[in-house]
Amino acid sequence: QVQLVESGGGLVRAGDSLRLSCAASGRTASNYSMGWFRQAPGKERGFVAVISWGGGRTVYADSVKGRFTISRDNAKNTVYLQMNSLKPEDTALYYCAAKRTLTRVTMTSEYDYWGQGTQVTVSS
């Protein structure tokens, strides 16, 4: 069992930066690939980024490439999402999720564990 708790969301202006954190608990948390998803009101939950268990591989959604960076510190069982040059369209509830493999990483149904989410609001 893996428990995930997100933090770091908030209200910022366009162009600002935020860093989200996802603290994982459970003995094997570091063995999971970790992803970030987001869901805006009235929209489906969508893929943002994922990082392999060792941190050596990352995948990003086209909409965030060059602006967001995912990283992890397995010693702290924490995954981060550094978000720069934020835009109003980045406004959403951001979720952390865990899965065993690095296949089909954009599909929400492939993830085994989810956090409760942290709200990011970007004003224009």
Side-chain angles (χ1 to χ4, degrees):
Q1 193 80 358
V2 176
Q3 293 80 40
L4 304 173
V5 179
E6 303 95 335
S7 62
L11 172 62
V12 297
R13 295 182 177 181
D16 285 351
S17 298
L18 272 179
R19 189 177 79 158
L20 305 183
S21 298
C22 173
S25 61
R27 288 194 305 169
T28 61
S30 61
N31 292 339
Y32 284 76
S33 294
M34 300 295 294
W36 286 97
F37 287 74
R38 64 187 181 185
Q39 188 168 18
K43 295 187 176 181
E44 293 188 353
R45 194 172 299 187
F47 171 75
V48 175
V50 67
I51 187 166
S52 60
W53 70 269
R57 293 184 61 191
T58 57
V59 180
Y60 294 92
D62 288 343
S63 59
V64 306
K65 278 181 183 176
R67 298 189 300 123
F68 290 12
T69 302
I70 189 170
S71 61
R72 68 189 299 165
D73 184 341
N74 284 342
K76 297 181 178 180
N77 276 347
T78 301
V79 178
Y80 305 99
L81 185 68
Q82 177 66 43
M83 305 186 295
N84 299 330
S85 302
L86 282 162
K87 304 175 181 180
E89 51 263 45
D90 294 318
T91 295
L93 188 60
Y94 282 72
Y95 295 92
C96 175
K99 70 188 308 291
R100 281 286 193 182
T101 66
L102 205 61
T103 57
R104 297 185 290 274
V105 296
T106 64
M107 299 174 62
T108 57
S109 59
E110 290 290 317
Y111 286 77
D112 302 304
Y113 303 102
W114 291 86
Q116 294 300 307
T118 185
Q119 179 67 40
V120 173
T121 303
V122 184
S123 64
S124 57

